[in-house]
Amino acid sequence: AILPWKSTTRRRTPSVGSVTTMPPPPLAKGLRNFIEDVKMCNTVDEETRRVNEELHKIRGKFRASASATKEKHVLGSYDMTKYVCKLAYIRVLGYPVDFGQFEWLGLMRSSKLKEKATGYAAASLLLAITDETSVAGVRAAVLSDLTASASGG
């Protein structure tokens, strides 16, 4: 079976009219490797161990980024998007994800469409209604986007 991210898309070339095969949009290498690792697990215990390892790694990256100063490395948008996508995938697998709210809220507030879309998708999967801070942050981001689109911005 062909994995979804290894499939190709067919696109018509406007000038020629012939069909060309284009590679799919790139998926973060670390995300792809993590998904493949999880799919290769033979037992639930093995999968749980791999997911917990990844959660530990992501939590450490977020903590390091939150406490970073100008001399230290702060996570870039690519890494932030990759780690938030991993959290969303872990949640889809059925594991609880109890951190990362500030990171996906930050993506929701981004001016870049790809990051904004990732933030909204993550919020739909990771938002805990009982977390008042996250709910308020999502409400503010949505209102900001609606106001910006209503004013033509």
Side-chain angles (χ1 to χ4, degrees), residues 10-142:
R10 297 173 64 82
R11 187 176 295 164
R12 289 203 178 271
T13 309
S15 60
V16 180
S18 63
V19 176
T20 59
T21 304
M22 304 294 292
L27 186 63
K29 185 176 180 182
L31 177 60
R32 182 180 326 126
N33 291 342
F34 174 64
I35 292 170
E36 288 175 1
D37 285 352
V38 169
K39 286 183 176 185
M40 296 301 293
C41 293
N42 295 321
T43 65
V44 174
D45 290 338
E46 195 176 327
E47 180 184 286
T48 302
R49 182 186 51 76
R50 180 64 182 99
V51 166
N52 286 333
E53 285 175 3
E54 197 65 32
L55 285 171
H56 180 73
K57 175 183 169 187
I58 295 170
R59 186 177 280 119
K61 294 285 187 179
F62 286 170
R63 281 185 184 152
S65 179
S67 64
T69 61
K70 290 184 181 181
E71 301 86 43
K72 292 185 180 179
H73 176 70
V74 178
L75 287 177
S77 63
Y78 173 82
D79 289 329
M80 192 67 70
T81 302
K82 176 177 67 172
Y83 292 133
V84 168
C85 286
K86 284 182 181 184
L87 291 178
Y89 180 69
I90 289 168
R91 180 67 190 106
V92 167
L93 289 174
Y95 294 93
V97 176
D98 58 353
F99 67 97
Q101 293 85 356
F102 294 112
E103 287 75 17
W104 53 259
L105 279 170
L107 290 176
M108 285 179 71
R109 294 182 186 118
S110 175
S111 60
K112 297 178 184 174
L113 181 60
K114 183 178 178 180
E115 293 172 15
K116 187 176 285 292
T118 302
Y120 273 94
S124 71
L125 292 168
L126 301 171
L127 179 64
I129 299 301
T130 57
D131 183 7
E132 293 297 323
T133 305
S134 295
V135 171
V138 168
R139 184 178 299 126
V142 170

